[in-house]
Amino acid sequence: MRWKRLLKWLVWLLGLGLVVVLTTVECVYQATLAQVPEFPPCPEGASTPPVHGRLRWALLEGSTTPRVDIIWPGTIVRVLVSAASSERPPSMPAGLRLADEVARSWSARMHQENGRHLRAFERLALAIWLTRHWSVEELLAFDAEHTYLLQDLVGMRAGAQVLLGKDWAQLDATGMALLIAVSEAPGKSRDPWCFPAEMRSRRDRLLKQIQAKGGLTMTETEAALRAPLGLAVRPAHWRPCGTE
């Protein structure tokens, strides 16, 4: 009978230790979150064209099933234990990478407005908060609205009008992939009019990545790879090519 009492005490102590760990993690998260000066506003009537959501989600999350896993203290502990006990990178909760992109965009906007960047742990805390309060559609909508493209061009909707002369709801995978490629290009080579060959190569690599992650079928990918950039007329007021 003594071993049963010992086992009971052991289980009780392990349970208490787990509660302490989870409580500590949540307290650290809440304390870090309190350092975030301002939270991003949730998009109203959030929606993006299906092709944008499909491509963006596959590229960031590597899956075809959009969902946001709410990150609780137990989730954080599981990821940390997995990272410490395995040579492979731990699997991230679904939606965290997209939430981090939103947090990065918000940090950049805060820096532009008041010179205050979010520190790394503050940005992570904000990303966790976003998984608890925002939907997939809201995260995709904010990400699309605040994505920096080039010069003074911000947002996928504006990018579709200026770069391609189209409403972004009309874009196919080719056009949407070009916008994403522009947003992810290094600063000095973002302009597709100035670097058409480089931008086409970047777009095509991105299309192949998305296809490999299941975001596009082989037929869609082959058709998109054959398509030209389809650029509209470059805005006359933009800085000339070759200038900073």
Side-chain angles (χ1 to χ4, degrees):
M1 295 299 292
R2 186 178 178 183
W3 69 268
K4 289 185 177 180
R5 287 198 298 270
L6 289 175
L7 181 60
K8 185 184 296 186
W9 274 103
L10 179 61
V11 171
W12 186 86
L13 288 173
L14 288 174
L16 179 61
L18 180 59
V19 170
V20 170
V21 169
L22 295 179
T23 302
T24 301
V25 170
E26 181 66 15
C27 288
V28 170
Y29 157 70
Q30 293 291 347
T32 307
L33 188 66
Q35 301 302 311
V36 177
E38 186 180 358
F39 287 21
C42 186
E44 297 181 3
S47 65
T48 62
V51 66
H52 169 267
R54 183 157 55 103
L55 268 60
R56 188 66 169 150
W57 185 266
L59 187 64
L60 286 175
E61 301 291 337
S63 73
T64 57
T65 307
R67 78 175 194 278
V68 176
D69 291 339
I70 299 176
I71 299 179
W72 300 115
T75 313
I76 299 173
V77 171
R78 176 182 60 78
V79 172
L80 292 177
V81 170
S82 176
S85 61
S86 175
E87 296 181 357
R88 296 181 179 180
S91 59
M92 292 292 104
L96 180 58
R97 291 184 178 86
L98 178 57
D100 184 59
E101 286 295 313
V102 171
R104 286 175 184 273
S105 295
W106 184 244
S107 177
R109 180 172 174 178
M110 288 178 58
H111 183 260
Q112 185 180 23
E113 293 179 350
N114 54 40
R116 167 71 154 86
H117 261 310
L118 292 179
R119 293 183 286 270
F121 281 104
E122 293 172 347
R123 197 183 73 234
L124 176 59
L126 178 57
I128 292 173
W129 180 87
L130 288 167
T131 69
R132 297 185 181 187
H133 294 86
W134 286 22
S135 66
V136 171
E137 293 76 18
E138 289 164 342
L139 290 170
L140 285 170
F142 189 96
D143 176 65
E145 182 181 350
H146 295 84
T147 295
Y148 174 74
L149 295 168
L150 70 161
Q151 303 248 10
D152 57 353
L153 190 59
V154 178
M156 292 294 191
R157 186 186 303 275
Q161 289 287 351
V162 174
L163 272 67
L164 300 169
K166 297 179 180 179
D167 185 281
W168 78 321
Q170 300 174 333
L171 296 185
D172 56 9
T174 308
M176 202 67 76
L178 175 63
L179 296 185
I180 298 174
V182 169
S183 73
E184 296 191 349
K188 293 183 178 181
S189 59
R190 284 177 181 252
D191 195 320
W193 288 282
C194 301
F195 303 95
E198 292 88 339
M199 189 54 64
R200 177 159 187 166
S201 177
R202 180 174 290 275
R203 181 204 69 177
D204 291 353
R205 287 198 303 272
L206 187 145
L207 285 166
K208 292 176 183 177
Q209 290 175 15
I210 294 173
Q211 189 272 324
K213 295 178 178 181
L216 290 170
T217 66
M218 183 62 71
T219 301
E220 290 174 316
T221 304
E222 291 175 350
L225 291 172
R226 291 193 298 268
L229 291 180
L231 296 171
V233 177
R234 190 174 190 270
H237 67 279
W238 278 13
R239 295 186 296 274
C241 293
T243 61
E244 293 296 331

